[in-house]
Amino acid sequence: MNELSITRYIAASPEKVWDVLANRQEEWWCPKPWWITMIEQDRRPGGRSAMVMHGPDGEEMPQDGIFLAWDEGRRFVATDAVTADFQPSGPFMIGIWEIAPEGDGTRYTASARHWTEEAMNNHAEMGFEAGWNACADQLQALCEQA
């Protein structure tokens, strides 16, 4: 499997982590100073998942795809392989964001699955580990606030 993944323990209830994960993406999705504008989140398999990532120098990176799964309170899975009207769009990955209870807190795992080893290696070289861990840091900080 051509997968990159990060995981961490978050000292907050699964309910709180899910709320931040699913409903406050604008606050944690991109490593700062990047940020997103949410366009649409049709939270169901086949529903549109669209946002624009904004960089500090005016960069804009549209992200448009669909959800493959939305399991409320547990995980969501999205891909950029097709758009909401099922048009092929040059796949990069399938992203999986999931949580599970662990002790008094929550285990968060985020994974990116790629069609080829080359695509996975390119994503790693783009800074997958640092970038996705920075996002997880931001998510964790929001979840662990009193």
Side-chain angles (χ1 to χ4, degrees):
M1 184 179 332
N2 298 311
E3 181 175 289
L4 300 170
S5 185
I6 61 143
T7 188
R8 72 180 53 209
Y9 176 82
I10 298 176
S13 70
E15 294 79 17
K16 181 166 187 176
V17 175
W18 179 258
D19 180 56
V20 175
L21 181 74
N23 298 317
R24 295 171 60 186
Q25 289 175 319
E26 293 91 345
E27 297 176 62
W28 67 268
W29 191 263
C30 291
K32 294 185 187 320
W34 286 73
W35 55 280
I36 65 166
T37 301
M38 193 63 68
I39 306 299
E40 184 176 357
Q41 296 287 281
D42 185 1
R43 298 174 173 189
R44 62 179 178 83
R48 185 177 186 209
S49 172
M51 66 186 73
V52 177
M53 297 190 308
H54 304 275
D57 297 319
E59 306 95 330
E60 288 192 354
M61 296 179 59
Q63 306 290 309
D64 200 357
I66 62 168
F67 287 108
L68 300 174
W70 186 279
D71 303 315
E72 186 68 30
R74 189 172 78 80
R75 75 172 180 166
F76 58 90
V77 180
T79 186
D80 59 353
V82 295
T83 62
D85 58 354
F86 301 107
Q87 294 298 315
S89 65
F92 177 59
M93 69 172 202
I94 295 171
I96 303 167
W97 294 267
E98 55 194 333
I99 63 167
E102 184 176 311
D104 292 333
T106 304
R107 173 61 52 184
Y108 166 71
T109 305
S111 305
R113 293 182 180 163
H114 305 84
W115 273 254
T116 65
E117 184 177 1
E118 179 183 10
M120 178 188 69
N121 291 337
N122 287 342
H123 197 184
E125 290 170 12
M126 287 171 51
F128 168 85
E129 188 171 329
W132 285 43
N133 272 308
C135 293
D137 290 344
Q138 293 165 179
L139 173 68
Q140 182 175 9
L142 289 168
C143 292
E144 292 179 353
Q145 288 176 351

